[in-house]
Amino acid sequence: MKNIRNFCIIAHIDHGKSTLADRMLELTGTLDQREMEAQVLDSMDLEKEKGITIKSHAIQMRYRHGGQDYILNLLDTPGHVDFSYEVSRAIASCEGALLVVDATQGIQAQTISNLYLAINHDLEIIPVLNKIDMEAAMVETVSDQIIDLIGCDREDILCCSAKTGEGVPAILDAIVERFPAPVGDPDAPLQALIFDSVFNPFRGIIAYFKVINGSISTGDKVKFFNTGREYDADEVGFMKMKLCPTEKVSCGNVGYIISGIKTAVEVKVGDTITHVDKPCEKSIEGFEEVKPMLFAGVYPVEADEYEDLRASLEKLQLNDASLVFDPESSLALGFGFRCGFLGLLHLEIMQERLYREFDMDVITTVPNVSYKVYTTQGEELDVHNPSGLPAPTLIDTIEEPYIRAQIISKSEYFGQIMKLCLDKRGILKSQHFLTADRVELNYDMPLAEIVFDFYDKLKSISRGYASFDYHIIGYQKADLVKLDILLNGEQVDALSSLIHRDRAYDFGRRMCEKLKELIPRQQFEIAIQAAIGAKIIARETIKPVRKDVIAKCYGGDISRKRKLLEKQKKGKKRMRQVGNVQVPQSAFMAVLKLD
């Protein structure tokens, strides 16, 4: 056990985590030149296309140092705020963390929040300054920022360039020398923590675990502690680029288990694996429950694909434990699921993965956050979507979730960022200058305001320099109204939203204008209306596609033309009563990007 090191790489988005992991794999000879590619651990097509890490990736390396062989288990983590749950799981299964900071950008919000996660789990931290080969690198300035943040000595900071490989051997030596070996009792009953799982169509569910106490061998009878199910360990092994079967995974090590589990519900991330004949007394703690920030309805395009969608979501949940879903139904869209996400990017990625990995085409409703509604009878209700609201006469008060937002930016964008936060109903809590030209702002603001386009706007006004992180601080009372969208007098469930009263008129008007652009013209006139209760606050009209019925009349009396036009008008009116308005999926998504 003393020769095992389990560690993860944490950093802000785009600070070079995956590139650093590439260099380590090369240096330890885990991959040869033929297998090597850029960001080799980002195995999903989506990750390569978007240039971001979505999933944590575990891989085992062997490294020789001081005449001894060491096993290094590396977890590469995502940097985006929407995937912070992945980071928290990686941290729970490690003893050390490499904190990577970009020498051209300095410390950013995600750097700080991931660092606090690691400190809460008592991880040993090695600060690494990356991208020192770039002309814009500010090695001295950023080193000072790291010293202020962690309180380490200047000698503790390692400088490297993940792109060229400069300084990476020193990092591998530091991992062996400075990270502690895992602690555990090899002779105790087996206790292994499941930190991830994945569905394989041929072999069933593959669960990734870290052995805390005891050891696990091929052919053992094992039990999943929280679900109480028993299985045979058909295969256990280590994760290299491919799965490598072995006889036994010993204490402190990271491995995988295949036991022929076919149903996704039986494996829960955070569960404990133990032996049937010599079980452990209690399960491992240290895994937090995921708290979704954002809810959206996901419905199959064809109503008979409901069960397929359920199966797809269950398999996706195996690989992405932060996805939460419950069945629900809607008048307009039939049966579907209410899904909880950690943010808009998470929602977009999930929708794309459903389409690519499971061939499921889905309709997604307008995302909302969850509200607490207090009725006049003194009941408290949790409302996830506007259609779940009680009648306006029964509502006493509505409370919405508030967050504490931490924004770090260059001081030249200070004024514009403050204006953006004030527009989003933010209240400034504190501000302080980290250095002469970097400022940290803390705001309390409603979660509903940042869900849609806040992050995009922040990036554009700060030219990509500002970074953003947040956590929920509780609920506060708010003056909210339900805004309905009517097409031809029919309410469209999926486009309803709960919104602050001051914003409702402006939002309703913009929404009608947007829908007018997106809904194709039909044979009949379509009225698009925004309403609060029974009061219409905005209206747009889509003109019908018309045939020129008077083309055949040349000359003659005007009354002949009038008669033909009246006849056409009657036909259009009758059509409108039976006509169905088709709303394209782009209309549902465009509501999010109204600006």
Side-chain angles (χ1 to χ4, degrees):
M1 268 176 73
K2 67 179 194 301
N3 287 8
I4 298 174
R5 300 286 182 272
N6 301 317
F7 68 99
C8 58
I9 305 180
I10 54 175
H12 190 78
I13 191 166
D14 265 351
H15 279 203
K17 295 176 293 299
S18 300
T19 316
L20 180 59
D22 287 355
R23 294 295 83 75
M24 288 183 177
L25 293 176
E26 270 182 3
L27 271 168
T28 54
T30 309
L31 291 182
D32 56 30
Q33 282 300 324
R34 192 168 48 89
E35 297 169 298
M36 203 61 210
E37 53 178 308
Q39 281 84 38
V40 69
L41 290 181
D42 292 350
S43 51
M44 246 186 275
D45 292 345
L46 258 178
E47 292 179 313
K48 296 221 187 302
E49 279 167 34
K50 291 185 179 283
I52 56 173
T53 304
I54 294 168
K55 283 287 304 162
S56 292
H57 297 276
I59 189 161
Q60 188 179 86
M61 308 179 287
R62 292 186 179 272
Y63 183 59
R64 194 162 178 80
H65 175 74
Q68 289 201 335
D69 284 330
Y70 288 87
I71 292 173
L72 310 182
N73 291 311
L74 155 72
L75 274 164
D76 179 28
T77 64
H80 197 282
V81 66
D82 282 13
F83 304 114
S84 54
Y85 186 63
E86 285 284 328
V87 184
S88 74
R89 285 175 23 210
I91 284 173
S93 43
C94 290
E95 284 84 37
L98 290 180
L99 181 73
V100 179
V101 182
D102 185 337
T104 62
Q105 307 246 357
I107 282 174
Q108 297 194 299
Q110 223 40 42
T111 318
I112 295 176
S113 77
N114 288 345
L115 172 71
Y116 287 155
L117 267 178
I119 289 172
N120 288 343
H121 279 84
D122 293 333
L123 263 62
E124 180 68 34
I125 312 270
I126 297 180
V128 175
L129 199 55
N130 189 18
K131 306 193 186 179
I132 56 166
D133 59 317
M134 301 205 24
E135 284 179 17
M138 310 170 289
V139 177
E140 290 302 314
T141 317
V142 180
S143 297
D144 291 341
Q145 289 177 19
I146 295 173
I147 292 165
D148 287 348
L149 180 67
I150 306 178
C152 61
D153 296 328
R154 193 173 286 275
E155 298 76 57
D156 295 342
I157 302 172
L158 301 174
C159 295
C160 79
S161 162
K163 194 169 158 192
T164 62
E166 180 192 342
V168 179
I171 296 176
L172 286 167
D173 292 342
I175 288 168
V176 171
E177 290 159 11
R178 286 158 62 177
F179 283 156
V183 288
D185 182 356
D187 304 319
L190 170 69
Q191 259 188 325
L193 173 76
I194 298 177
F195 64 85
D196 204 356
S197 53
V198 60
F199 184 79
N200 182 311
F202 305 108
R203 311 206 57 183
I205 289 155
I206 302 171
Y208 299 149
F209 60 83
K210 180 194 174 192
V211 183
I212 309 289
N213 290 316
S215 62
I216 182 169
S217 306
T218 307
D220 283 357
K221 266 228 124 354
V222 293
K223 180 171 95 171
F224 284 21
F225 202 90
N226 293 339
T227 57
R229 307 275 185 128
E230 298 181 1
Y231 307 101
D232 289 321
D234 298 336
E235 184 182 303
V236 296
F238 300 114
M239 278 106 44
K240 301 243 172 144
M241 272 323 277
K242 300 185 182 73
L243 301 177
C244 301
T246 180
E247 278 301 304
K248 177 178 173 184
V249 179
S250 58
C251 186
N253 231 323
V254 175
Y256 71 89
I257 178 170
I258 299 175
S259 48
I261 307 169
K262 290 286 183 280
T263 41
V265 198
E266 293 176 31
V267 179
K268 290 267 183 293
V269 165
D271 203 346
T272 303
I273 307 175
T274 187
H275 282 132
V276 172
D277 49 1
K278 193 181 160 193
C280 57
E281 287 167 17
K282 61 181 200 329
S283 61
I284 302 161
E285 290 168 10
F287 251 62
E288 64 212 54
E289 274 296 305
V290 59
K291 295 190 228 28
M293 302 288 180
L294 170 79
F295 294 88
V298 173
Y299 295 86
V301 175
E302 303 292 331
D304 55 358
E305 288 179 351
Y306 174 73
E307 283 304 326
D308 297 346
L309 179 60
R310 180 197 293 274
S312 303
L313 282 170
E314 281 175 357
K315 287 172 188 168
L316 195 58
Q317 194 179 30
L318 272 179
N319 199 235
D320 180 359
S322 51
L323 172 67
V324 180
F325 64 91
D326 295 300
E328 71 160 6
S329 62
S330 130
L331 291 170
L333 301 166
F335 289 101
F337 295 93
R338 182 116 210 112
C339 298
F341 303 99
L342 296 182
L344 267 187
L345 179 69
H346 189 201
L347 162 68
E348 202 178 301
I349 295 287
M350 200 262 346
Q351 204 176 336
E352 189 67 29
R353 283 185 72 181
L354 274 177
Y355 179 64
R356 291 190 187 197
E357 294 172 29
F358 305 101
D359 204 19
M360 288 300 308
D361 230 346
V362 293
I363 292 172
T364 315
T365 64
V366 178
N368 342 76
V369 298
S370 60
Y371 297 90
K372 284 194 192 307
V373 178
Y374 296 92
T375 62
T376 45
Q377 274 92 28
E379 296 173 296
E380 181 189 316
L381 307 171
D382 274 337
V383 175
H384 294 320
N385 63 342
S387 56
L389 271 184
T393 50
L394 298 174
I395 297 174
D396 181 27
T397 54
I398 302 179
E399 289 187 350
E400 61 177 342
Y402 262 68
I403 58 155
R404 172 68 50 85
Q406 178 194 44
I407 299 165
I408 296 177
S409 164
K410 286 195 165 181
S411 39
E412 62 195 87
Y413 308 117
F414 183 69
Q416 291 161 291
I417 290 173
M418 283 187 83
K419 183 181 180 304
L420 173 68
C421 294
L422 289 171
D423 288 348
K424 299 282 186 188
R425 297 191 280 142
I427 303 155
L428 181 65
K429 283 294 168 189
S430 68
Q431 65 179 64
H432 68 272
F433 284 84
L434 301 170
T435 61
D437 67 338
R438 289 177 80 74
V439 64
E440 180 188 328
L441 297 169
N442 286 300
Y443 271 91
D444 283 359
M445 55 210 301
L447 178 61
E449 294 286 349
I450 67 148
V451 153
F452 291 146
D453 54 359
F454 180 81
Y455 194 64
D456 296 344
K457 281 184 172 169
L458 180 69
K459 283 289 181 199
S460 57
I461 60 178
S462 66
R463 302 195 188 141
Y465 279 112
S467 64
F468 170 66
D469 187 48
Y470 60 87
H471 59 270
I472 294 272
I473 53 169
Y475 284 77
Q476 290 185 23
K477 199 167 149 186
D479 183 13
L480 301 169
V481 290
K482 183 185 173 194
L483 181 73
D484 290 319
I485 298 292
L486 312 174
L487 293 180
N488 271 351
E490 297 264 328
Q491 190 179 319
V492 182
D493 241 9
L495 292 173
S496 301
S497 52
L498 266 176
I499 192 162
H500 198 267
R501 194 182 294 275
D502 300 347
R503 301 279 166 85
Y505 285 87
D506 180 45
F507 186 75
R509 196 187 69 251
R510 293 203 330 247
M511 199 130 148
C512 290
E513 286 167 2
K514 192 79 181 173
L515 288 172
K516 184 182 178 182
E517 290 170 25
L518 291 165
I519 295 175
R521 286 170 71 185
Q522 318 270 332
Q523 293 279 330
F524 50 92
E525 185 179 280
I526 303 169
I528 304 171
Q529 294 164 310
I532 297 173
K535 185 181 178 191
I536 304 292
I537 59 169
R539 169 177 172 138
E540 291 286 337
T541 308
I542 298 177
K543 295 283 182 235
V545 181
R546 291 176 55 185
K547 178 181 168 191
D548 190 358
V549 286
I550 55 175
K552 59 179 181 281
C553 300
Y554 47 93
D557 190 4
I558 185 72
S559 59
R560 284 181 62 203
K561 294 181 181 175
R562 181 80 28 86
K563 190 174 155 190
L564 285 166
L565 287 168
E566 285 299 322
K567 194 172 161 191
Q568 184 186 31
K569 199 169 169 186
K570 266 193 197 131
K572 295 278 180 211
K573 198 171 177 183
R574 202 163 52 244
M575 246 176 173
R576 180 179 168 177
Q577 284 161 359
V578 296
N580 231 340
V581 184
Q582 295 293 324
V583 185
Q585 168 70 12
S586 59
F588 293 114
M589 290 313 283
V591 178
L592 317 184
K593 305 186 172 77
L594 267 183
D595 294 323

